[in-house]
Amino acid sequence: HTFGVEVVDVTPTYNDRNNISGATVTVGLYTLPNVYTYVSSLSLDGRAEYGAEYRLGRHIYTAVSLDRDKLWRLALNLKWEFR
């Protein structure tokens, strides 16, 4: 049995003196072919953000998330590529 993680992202956080004060760690995976789910947490306070994105087509997707302050967010994203 395997666990397929698609994304592991570590992003440093900075304080007011521009020194690294911690990190945000995000882990995400595709639970269904068009559904991407993730959890993101700050290493110092332990509060997490949870989210899911549903791809409607090549250039459009919708997302829902529960942020660290327990607020729900709904988004509709369009992606345009210029060549």
Side-chain angles (χ1 to χ4, degrees), residues 15 28 39-40 45 54 76 81:
N15 61 19
V39 61
S40 178
D45 66 7
Y54 178 68
L76 180 64
E81 295 180 8

Side-chain angles (χ1 to χ4, degrees), residues 50-80:
Y50 304 93
E53 297 175 358
Y54 178 68
R55 188 158 302 278
L56 299 167
R58 185 174 174 196
H59 299 288
I60 187 170
Y61 68 94
T62 186
V64 63
S65 65
L66 178 63
D67 70 12
R68 290 176 178 87
D69 296 321
K70 304 297 184 216
L71 297 174
W72 287 97
R73 300 186 186 277
L74 179 63
L76 180 64
N77 298 293
L78 301 172
K79 179 181 174 184
W80 297 106

Side-chain angles (χ1 to χ4, degrees), residues 13-72:
T13 55
Y14 298 92
N15 61 19
D16 58 349
R17 294 180 180 215
N18 210 21
N19 294 325
I20 294 177
S21 61
T24 300
V25 178
T26 303
V27 177
L29 60 110
Y30 282 92
T31 52
L32 295 170
N34 290 340
V35 178
Y36 174 75
T37 57
Y38 67 90
V39 61
S40 178
S41 177
L42 288 174
S43 58
L44 296 178
D45 66 7
R47 295 184 306 160
E49 176 180 337
Y50 304 93
E53 297 175 358
Y54 178 68
R55 188 158 302 278
L56 299 167
R58 185 174 174 196
H59 299 288
I60 187 170
Y61 68 94
T62 186
V64 63
S65 65
L66 178 63
D67 70 12
R68 290 176 178 87
D69 296 321
K70 304 297 184 216
L71 297 174
W72 287 97

